[in-house]
C-alpha cells in the first residue's frame, strides 16, 4: 500500500536537496525585504522536501528489511496507507488533506520558488508578474513588500496603505509596484477593469487579468478616486478560511448586491 506513494515521490521529487539546512553565502549580506523573504521561503521549502524525502527513504528501508521500524516511521507509514498527511509533515505545512495532492503541491511550490530565487538573485523579482499561490506564506511576502516600500518612502509601515489597479498606468509614480497573476474571482466577472455581474453561462470561478499592487503613503490618492468602488476580500483559497488582503475595485451598481453575491478573489481555484 505504500508503494504508490513511494513511487510517486520518486518521480516528482527530482530537485536537488543537498542544500537543505545550509545557509546561503549571501545570507549575511544586507538584502531588500522581499529578497530576504524569498531566500527564507525557498530554504523552508527545501528543508521540508528534504524532511519528507528522509521519511520516505526510511520507510523504504523498513519495507526492504534493511532497517527496523521506529515509532516515528510507523506513524508516517500508517498515515500514508490511509491516504492521509502524516502529522509530522502537516505540522510543518498545512496543505491539502489528501497526501498525494499534498506531495504534488509541495513539489510544484518548490519548483516555482526556484524561479523566484533566480529572479531575486538577478535583482529582477518584481520586474514581471508574480503568482502568489506559488508561496507557502503569501501574507509574509506582502508584509515584506510593505516594509520595503515604507523604507523607500521613508515613512513608518503603519503610515502606508495598499492600492491596486487592473491598469498598471494608474499606479504610475509609486515607488515600488508588483503585478500579480493567476487570481480568480467568484461572484462576479471583470470586464474592462471593473466588476460586472456574472453572465448566465459564466463559470462559478474565473481567472482575472493581471492585477497591479503598491504600498503607498496613507496620503496618496486612490487610483479610483471619484468613482464608485467596492472593497473586495482576497482569500488564499475558495474555502475562504484564510483572508489575505482587501482590494478596492470599480463597481457600478448597488454595492449591497455585490456583497450579497459573495464576491471575492482567491489566489488559486484549488481548494
Amino acid at each position: 500500500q505504500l508503494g504508490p506513494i513511494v513511487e510517486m515521490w520518486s518521480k516528482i521529487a527530482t530537485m536537488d536537496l543537498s542544500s537543505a539546512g545550509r545557509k546561503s553565502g549571501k545570507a549575511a549580506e544586507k538584502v531588500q525585504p522581499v529578497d530576504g523573504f524569498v531566500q527564507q521561503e525557498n530554504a523552508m521549502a527545501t528543508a521540508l522536501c528534504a524532511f519528507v524525502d528522509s521519511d520516505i527513504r526510511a520507510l523504504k528501508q523498513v519495507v526492504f528489511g534493511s532497517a527496523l521500524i521506529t515509532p516515528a516511521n510507523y506513524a508516517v507509514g500508517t498515515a500514508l496507507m490511509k491516504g492521509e498527511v502524516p502529522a509530522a509533515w502537516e505540522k510543518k505545512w498545512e496543505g491539502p488533506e489528501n497526501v498525494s495532492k499534498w506531495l504534488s503541491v509541495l513539489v510544484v511550490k518548490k519548483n516555482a520558488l526556484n524561479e523566484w530565487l533566480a529572479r531575486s538573485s538577478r535583482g529582477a523579482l518584481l520586474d514581471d508578474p508574480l503568482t502568489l499561490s506559488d508561496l507557502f506564506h503569501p501574507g509574509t511576502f506582502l508584509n515584506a513588500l510593505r516594509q520595503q516600500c515604507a523604507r523607500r518612502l521613508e515613512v513608518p509601515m503603519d503610515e502606508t496603505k495598499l492600492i491596486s489597479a487592473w491598469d498598471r498606468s494608474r499606479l504610475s509614480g509609486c515607488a515600488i509596484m508588483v503585478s500579480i497573476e493567476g487570481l480568480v474571482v467568484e461572484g462576479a466577472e471583470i470586464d474592462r477593469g471593473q466588476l460586472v455581474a456574472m453572465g448566465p453561462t459564466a463559470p462559478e470561478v474565473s481567472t482575472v487579468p493581471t492585477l497591479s499592487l503598491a504600498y503607498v503613503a496613507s496620503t496618496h490618492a486612490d487610483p479610483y478616486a471619484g468613482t464608485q468602488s467596492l472593497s473586495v476580500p482576497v482569500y488564499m483559497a475558495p474555502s475562504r478560511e484564510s483572508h489575505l488582503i482587501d482590494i478596492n475595485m470599480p463597481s457600478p451598481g448597488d454595492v449591497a448586491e455585490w456583497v450579497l453575491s459573495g464576491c471575492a478573489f482567491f489566489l488559486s481555484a484549488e481548494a
Side-chain angles (χ1 to χ4, degrees), residues 9-62:
W9 178 252
S10 299
K11 288 181 178 179
I12 64 176
T14 58
M15 77 287 288
D16 178 16
L17 301 178
S18 61
S19 62
R22 192 170 69 225
K23 293 184 178 179
S24 166
K26 297 183 178 180
E29 296 180 10
K30 185 176 181 180
V31 298
Q32 294 292 345
V34 293
D35 296 317
F37 163 81
V38 172
Q39 290 179 10
Q40 293 177 0
E41 187 85 339
N42 183 66
M44 171 265 176
T46 302
L48 179 54
C49 287
F51 183 78
V52 169
D53 190 65
S54 176
D55 276 353
I56 291 180
R57 287 177 182 272
L59 282 174
K60 287 174 67 176
Q61 290 180 335
V62 171

Side-chain angles (χ1 to χ4, degrees), residues 95-114:
E97 294 182 0
N98 177 273
V99 69
S100 296
K101 183 66 174 176
W102 192 95
L103 290 170
S104 295
V105 174
L106 169 62
V107 172
V108 168
K109 287 180 180 291
K110 177 62 183 78
N111 288 334
L113 280 166
N114 290 341

Side-chain angles (χ1 to χ4, degrees), residues 47-251:
L48 179 54
C49 287
F51 183 78
V52 169
D53 190 65
S54 176
D55 276 353
I56 291 180
R57 287 177 182 272
L59 282 174
K60 287 174 67 176
Q61 290 180 335
V62 171
V63 170
F64 292 124
S66 58
L68 296 175
I69 193 166
T70 66
N73 53 37
Y74 175 80
V76 171
T78 300
L80 294 182
M81 287 190 292
K82 294 179 180 178
E84 299 172 354
V85 180
W89 299 2
E90 192 170 37
K91 185 177 180 180
K92 294 181 178 293
W93 173 52
E94 293 184 8
E97 294 182 0
N98 177 273
V99 69
S100 296
K101 183 66 174 176
W102 192 95
L103 290 170
S104 295
V105 174
L106 169 62
V107 172
V108 168
K109 287 180 180 291
K110 177 62 183 78
N111 288 334
L113 280 166
N114 290 341
E115 177 58 26
W116 281 62
L117 188 63
R119 286 172 55 173
S120 173
S121 299
R122 298 194 303 268
L125 179 64
L126 306 181
D127 290 354
D128 296 309
L130 296 169
T131 303
L132 293 186
S133 60
D134 289 344
L135 304 175
F136 293 92
H137 306 100
T140 307
F141 167 74
L142 291 174
N143 194 57
L145 179 66
R146 186 177 189 179
Q147 183 181 13
Q148 188 163 321
C149 289
R151 288 182 182 179
R152 179 76 65 84
L153 295 168
E154 298 183 336
V155 299
M157 284 181 63
D158 60 5
E159 291 182 14
T160 63
K161 65 180 181 180
L162 179 67
I163 60 173
S164 59
W166 301 112
D167 181 357
R168 188 179 176 87
S169 66
R170 285 182 175 268
L171 302 187
S172 59
C174 295
I176 300 173
M177 285 185 286
V178 59
S179 295
I180 305 300
E181 63 182 5
L183 295 177
V184 297
V185 66
E186 181 179 49
E189 293 182 283
I190 305 299
D191 182 33
R192 286 174 289 184
Q194 63 182 14
L195 292 173
V196 297
M198 295 172 61
T201 60
E204 184 176 345
V205 175
S206 58
T207 304
V208 301
T210 300
L211 179 70
S212 294
L213 301 174
Y215 282 98
V216 296
S218 54
T219 55
H220 193 284
D222 291 329
Y224 297 113
T227 62
Q228 180 172 294
S229 61
L230 175 71
S231 180
V232 183
V234 179
Y235 295 96
M236 297 271 284
S239 63
R240 305 194 182 209
E241 293 177 357
S242 299
H243 174 257
L244 195 62
I245 53 174
D246 294 307
I247 54 178
N248 283 325
M249 292 288 104
S251 53

